[in-house]
Amino acid sequence: MAKRILLAIDGSDISMHAVQETVKLLQGESIQLLIIHVVEVHFMFPGIDYMSLLNLYKKEGILILDNAQKILANQYAISCDTKLIEHNLLQGRIAEVIAKEAKTWGADLIALGTHGRRGFNRLFLGSVAENTVRIARSPVLLVPPQMSA
């Protein structure tokens, strides 16, 4: 079983579902968990105060990580480390950032939620999850959206 798990979240309901499902699968195991959030910075629009925008994104990212950490502590009595990563388009895709962090940290498993997009949305928006699966050196656990009954 994996001992070092990197969990990438974006703050969506789907990624928070991935947090809960990943922990349920690994409950009772002795694991180290690192939760990351990638702040994507776009430098493409003139007249925008990018430092203010970046600071706003970073604040939001910290809140997302803190929320996940609290859920794990309160609902599952699990402690974890968190990391906020800044990324811009010149550094490649978000999937590359996730795979690189997993390799650097020594992750045995990467976990993330998948939005389950199809058709034109998938073609236009791409898939961080799909790209991560393609380039990661570690196994990747994809958690699909929660289905309503």
Side-chain angles (χ1 to χ4, degrees):
M1 186 54 75
K3 298 292 180 194
R4 292 175 63 85
I5 299 157
L6 182 136
L7 181 55
I9 62 173
D10 63 7
S12 67
D13 289 344
I14 292 166
S15 71
M16 298 315 289
H17 176 64
V19 169
Q20 294 171 335
E21 291 301 310
T22 300
V23 170
K24 284 179 191 175
L25 284 173
L26 303 166
Q27 212 164 17
E29 299 289 326
S30 176
I31 62 169
Q32 288 181 294
L33 183 61
L34 174 64
I35 301 179
I36 66 168
H37 175 78
V38 180
V39 173
E40 194 169 24
V41 182
H42 302 280
F43 296 100
M44 298 165 68
F45 302 104
I48 293 179
D49 178 1
Y50 286 104
M51 287 311 295
S52 294
L53 188 59
L54 176 59
N55 288 333
L56 182 65
Y57 285 161
K58 287 163 80 172
K59 274 185 179 178
E60 180 183 31
I62 290 167
L63 288 174
I64 289 168
L65 291 170
D66 287 348
N67 183 44
Q69 201 169 33
K70 286 176 187 169
I71 288 171
L72 290 172
N74 295 338
Q75 292 182 12
Y76 303 101
I78 292 175
S79 64
C80 66
D81 292 322
T82 61
K83 185 173 184 180
L84 185 72
I85 301 172
E86 291 181 40
H87 166 265
N88 70 51
L89 294 175
L90 300 176
Q91 295 171 313
R93 297 179 176 184
I94 291 178
E96 293 171 55
V97 174
I98 294 169
K100 181 181 176 186
E101 185 63 32
K103 182 180 177 186
T104 301
W105 186 67
D108 298 320
L109 177 71
I110 300 169
L112 64 157
T114 177
H115 289 266
R117 292 187 182 106
R118 303 236 186 276
F120 286 114
N121 281 339
R122 182 169 162 254
L123 181 65
F124 180 70
L125 297 173
S127 169
V128 171
E130 183 178 348
N131 288 325
T132 301
V133 168
R134 287 184 178 163
I135 64 174
R137 300 281 184 209
S138 307
V140 179
L141 171 66
L142 297 180
V143 180
Q146 190 172 12
M147 298 297 179
S148 46

